[in-house]
Amino acid sequence: MFSTWVDILNLNKPLKFDELLIDFNPELYNAKSLPDDIQKKLDERWNQLLADTKPGRVLFNESKFRLHSIETKAIDEHTNEFVLKLGLTDYKSFICTQQQKLPDDIRQHITEDHLSHPLGVGCLLITSDDKIVLIKRNSNCVDSPNLYDLPGGHPEPKNAKSYSKQDIIEEIRLSTIAECVDETNVDRTTLLVDSFFFILIITRNLNQHGRPAVESCLRTSMSSNELQQRYNLQTHTEAFESSELKFWPLENISDLMYHLSTQYTQWLFTVEQLKDLRAKANAEYVQKHTSRDCLTVDEEAMVIRYYEIQLKDFCEKFRPPMTKMAIAVAMQYFKRFYLNNSVMEYHPRDIYLICIYLTGKTEELRISMEEFVANIKDSANVNHTADILLSYELLLIEKLHFQLVVHTAYRPFEGLIIDLKTHYLRDNVNDADQLRVTGYEFLDKTLLTDVYFLFPPSQIALTALVFASVKTKVNIDDYILKHVYGSLESAQMQQVKETIRLIANAVNTPTKFKKSEVKQIIEKLEKCYNTDNDPRTEGYKKRRLEQFQAVTDYEARNLP
């Protein structure tokens, strides 16, 4: 099992190690000293642990970096700097103040300022066959015995060349690599430290009074079988600390990856927040163009819905065929774009096409521009259409804040179906196939709603499964009770049921939509949209040429 932890640093994207900043100041950031009588009692407990010489137990005191706090500095709207404020502590202080269960007469004297808070490191080590590596800690370990954990440990102040920002960051990075090697016996030369090694999250372990750790992600070119064979040799430095390796399929932690994603941190809202964002985009355009007969917020919603249907229809008829996940990604790009932009600022007739074209790249569909344009029925001039799409591509990426990874509900839904087939419907595969077909129909309908802005993909997938079971009359109550509600308390169970109800209602309650009304609104849009942002107009072409010339002039002046 994993310890309970909380994210203490809201990263918008994974960080390179050198993107962290360090403020090292022992005078400000060391723990406060405890009263002499309390410290004496802790020293006695430490000495008792040292005297308890169990086989495989190694316990010694070493200096550690102490995390006092993290300061976030805003560089711009979408970029922050993170400063780790570090002092010094030691392993003995951690064991005595945070890891050990202490009597109340001792614990009541230990405040937050007295806690050791040694900065740890952990690593999500991923094998070439997409398995996450877990270690089971030895039963004789003082720290978290018999628990599964990621490879990890602590940066060692004694190993840092100095206490400069660069040297402390380098020690954090090198200690992460060293812990992976020392605890799993992974071949150091197979670690892809230059191409796939970054910080995912900085956490505090609530089971250990807020113990902090920098959690990173690192790939190895070794397969899980190859790594298991090396581990079995027991030649690694810290073989005594663990009793086994466990490999967990990366696809089975999609929900964890979602909670580490920009989709969770940047694109999850309440219903009221969605209304406010759309109203803001509309109001900003109306304020700039008071002389025009502008669209209302509700009229913009009708236009967006019309082009969402166009987008979905285009993708479903596309040749070569697009995957359902790709269609979902394209739809989310389109929805995200118009969450912060008015349809009057950028006409959706071009934006919806470039959303699909960009998806072809991000989802690795390998669609050439010629193939893409060939799917557009009213495209007489291939080169002109291609130029329009390419002129908007960088704009789209910028407006999406360069956040192009989209988690959909199709993958977790497929995982539920596979689990059902394996454990519950082994003798009746046809029932599972019925659930899949009906569930996919439900997921397809979600694309025309806001549910991805409101709920995690795993909850949408579960709702699709429950909906499909009701509609097909396939009884999966035992599966739901055991695998979904089994470990939940009553209040949590009710919360899950309420979430399923809300998602189902959102999907099955169609938005009012009349083609005759939409036609009139689109005619109104043609008269009020910003032609300066239309690639077909001479004004746009002139502005783009001026921008290109400005870049060319700059390069001529500054580049060798």
Side-chain angles (χ1 to χ4, degrees), residues 296-356:
T296 65
V297 175
D298 290 339
E299 287 173 333
E300 284 207 55
M302 294 280 277
V303 173
I304 291 172
R305 178 60 182 268
Y306 172 79
Y307 278 101
E308 285 176 354
I309 294 172
Q310 298 296 309
L311 184 154
K312 191 168 181 288
D313 184 63
F314 183 88
C315 290
E316 289 173 347
K317 295 177 181 178
F318 196 89
R319 292 295 177 268
M322 296 182 68
T323 65
K324 287 185 176 294
M325 283 189 288
I327 297 173
V329 170
M331 186 69 79
Q332 291 311 302
Y333 286 167
F334 185 77
K335 286 177 172 291
R336 289 181 182 185
F337 184 90
Y338 285 112
L339 201 57
N340 298 299
N341 298 281
S342 169
V343 298
M344 295 178 287
E345 192 71 73
Y346 300 99
H347 201 298
R349 66 181 166 219
D350 298 316
I351 297 298
Y352 93 87
L353 289 173
I354 196 58
C355 286
I356 301 169

Side-chain angles (χ1 to χ4, degrees), residues 12 111 128 133 198 288 367 401 431 451 463 473 476 488 496:
N12 295 336
T111 67
S128 62
V133 183
F198 46 80
K288 289 188 295 183
I367 301 169
H401 306 157
D431 283 350
V451 294
T463 304
K473 299 181 180 179
I476 59 170
L488 301 180
V496 172

Side-chain angles (χ1 to χ4, degrees), residues 428-455:
N428 198 347
V429 177
N430 289 334
D431 283 350
D433 291 336
Q434 286 184 53
L435 291 171
R436 176 184 282 112
V437 171
T438 307
Y440 270 34
E441 291 173 355
F442 180 89
L443 293 179
D444 291 346
K445 290 170 65 177
T446 66
L447 303 185
L448 297 174
T449 73
D450 284 335
V451 294
Y452 278 101
F453 285 138
L454 302 170
F455 303 98

Side-chain angles (χ1 to χ4, degrees), residues 48-50 52-59 138-142 240:
Q48 290 173 2
L49 289 173
L50 290 177
D52 186 5
T53 56
K54 293 182 179 179
R57 170 174 287 184
V58 176
L59 185 64
N138 190 291
S139 60
N140 291 323
C141 288
V142 175
F240 61 88

Side-chain angles (χ1 to χ4, degrees), residues 27 34 46 52 59 62 79 319 378 444 452 464 475 524:
E27 291 185 4
L34 286 160
W46 173 257
D52 186 5
L59 185 64
E62 286 284 1
T79 308
R319 292 295 177 268
D378 57 350
D444 291 346
Y452 278 101
N475 190 337
K524 182 179 177 181

Side-chain angles (χ1 to χ4, degrees), residues 250-513:
L250 186 61
E251 62 186 25
N252 287 357
I253 64 159
S254 58
D255 199 44
L256 169 61
M257 300 307 289
Y258 166 76
H259 282 85
L260 299 176
S261 71
T262 54
Q263 184 170 334
Y264 175 72
T265 59
Q266 302 293 307
W267 299 101
L268 197 64
F269 308 95
T270 65
V271 173
E272 289 304 317
Q273 286 172 334
L274 291 177
K275 289 180 180 178
D276 291 344
L277 286 171
R278 287 164 176 155
K280 180 183 177 183
N282 177 272
E284 288 178 349
Y285 185 86
V286 172
Q287 189 174 7
K288 289 188 295 183
H289 303 276
T290 54
S291 62
R292 301 181 185 179
D293 183 17
C294 295
L295 271 59
T296 65
V297 175
D298 290 339
E299 287 173 333
E300 284 207 55
M302 294 280 277
V303 173
I304 291 172
R305 178 60 182 268
Y306 172 79
Y307 278 101
E308 285 176 354
I309 294 172
Q310 298 296 309
L311 184 154
K312 191 168 181 288
D313 184 63
F314 183 88
C315 290
E316 289 173 347
K317 295 177 181 178
F318 196 89
R319 292 295 177 268
M322 296 182 68
T323 65
K324 287 185 176 294
M325 283 189 288
I327 297 173
V329 170
M331 186 69 79
Q332 291 311 302
Y333 286 167
F334 185 77
K335 286 177 172 291
R336 289 181 182 185
F337 184 90
Y338 285 112
L339 201 57
N340 298 299
N341 298 281
S342 169
V343 298
M344 295 178 287
E345 192 71 73
Y346 300 99
H347 201 298
R349 66 181 166 219
D350 298 316
I351 297 298
Y352 93 87
L353 289 173
I354 196 58
C355 286
I356 301 169
Y357 180 67
L358 178 61
T359 299
K361 295 182 177 182
T362 59
E363 293 297 296
E364 300 183 359
L365 300 182
R366 303 180 186 278
I367 301 169
S368 68
M369 177 58 79
E370 290 76 14
E371 288 177 311
F372 187 86
V373 175
N375 282 273
I376 304 175
K377 293 180 180 180
D378 57 350
S379 177
N381 189 326
V382 173
N383 292 332
H384 180 60
T385 304
D387 186 59
I388 290 174
L389 295 178
L390 292 176
S391 69
Y392 265 151
E393 184 174 19
L394 289 179
L395 170 73
L396 173 62
I397 294 172
E398 180 185 356
K399 294 296 184 180
L400 296 177
H401 306 157
F402 302 91
Q403 297 165 1
L404 305 181
V405 176
V406 174
H407 295 260
T408 74
Y410 290 95
R411 192 182 298 278
F413 178 77
E414 192 62 33
L416 290 170
I417 294 296
I418 292 172
D419 198 41
L420 270 170
K421 275 188 174 183
T422 304
H423 298 104
Y424 281 84
L425 301 176
R426 191 177 306 166
D427 300 325
N428 198 347
V429 177
N430 289 334
D431 283 350
D433 291 336
Q434 286 184 53
L435 291 171
R436 176 184 282 112
V437 171
T438 307
Y440 270 34
E441 291 173 355
F442 180 89
L443 293 179
D444 291 346
K445 290 170 65 177
T446 66
L447 303 185
L448 297 174
T449 73
D450 284 335
V451 294
Y452 278 101
F453 285 138
L454 302 170
F455 303 98
S458 58
Q459 294 179 0
I460 300 170
L462 177 61
T463 304
L465 182 65
V466 173
F467 173 83
S469 70
V470 173
K471 192 168 183 179
T472 60
K473 299 181 180 179
V474 175
N475 190 337
I476 59 170
D477 290 351
D478 288 345
Y479 176 81
I480 296 296
L481 286 172
K482 182 176 180 181
H483 288 265
V484 178
Y485 299 147
S487 61
L488 301 180
E489 296 180 358
S490 178
Q492 295 172 314
M493 188 186 305
Q494 291 303 317
Q495 186 176 4
V496 172
K497 290 180 178 179
E498 177 63 12
T499 299
I500 291 173
R501 186 188 67 80
L502 290 172
I503 296 173
N505 285 347
V507 174
N508 292 314
T509 305
T511 304
K512 293 181 180 180
F513 187 79

